């Protein structure tokens, strides 16, 4: 069973759910999430439970900036 929860640290849902999970996979927005916030979030879990990290929105931020620059020209 996969549970999609709110970001760690923003609401208490994750604190409650982590007691019932056997593993955690972090999904991180590239070029948006701060490294310190990611590290803090990971420190809330036992290292053995962390499967890894998946980056989403890869390249999306760069496309938005490029589109904005073209519109301002």
């Amino acid at each position: 069973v996969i549970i999609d929860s709110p970001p760690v640290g923003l609401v208490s849902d994750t604190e409650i759910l982590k007691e019932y999970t056997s593993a955690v996979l972090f999904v991180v927005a590239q070029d948006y999430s701060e490294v310190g916030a990611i590290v803090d979030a990971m420190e809330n879990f036992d290292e053995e439970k962390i499967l890894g990290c998946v980056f989403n929105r890869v390249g999306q931020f760069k496309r938005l900036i490029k589109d904005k620059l073209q519109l301002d020209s």
Side-chain angles (χ1 to χ4, degrees):
V1 174
I2 297 174
I3 301 171
D4 182 11
S5 73
V8 176
L10 291 183
V11 292
S12 61
D13 298 23
T14 308
E15 284 297 314
I16 296 166
L17 290 172
K18 77 179 188 179
E19 300 301 320
Y20 302 99
T21 59
S22 58
V24 177
L25 180 64
F26 284 88
V27 179
V28 178
Q30 183 195 29
D31 291 333
Y32 180 79
S33 302
E34 295 181 9
V35 173
I38 298 167
V39 171
D40 289 345
M42 289 183 161
E43 288 176 349
N44 284 305
F45 294 89
D46 295 332
E47 192 173 321
E48 308 83 46
K49 283 190 168 189
I50 300 174
L51 294 177
C53 186
V54 174
F55 289 96
N56 68 354
R57 299 183 183 173
V58 175
Q60 181 179 9
F61 183 74
K62 291 176 185 173
R63 284 192 299 274
L64 290 172
I65 295 298
K66 182 179 176 184
D67 292 345
K68 171 88 174 115
L69 291 173
Q70 288 176 352
L71 290 174
D72 290 343
S73 300

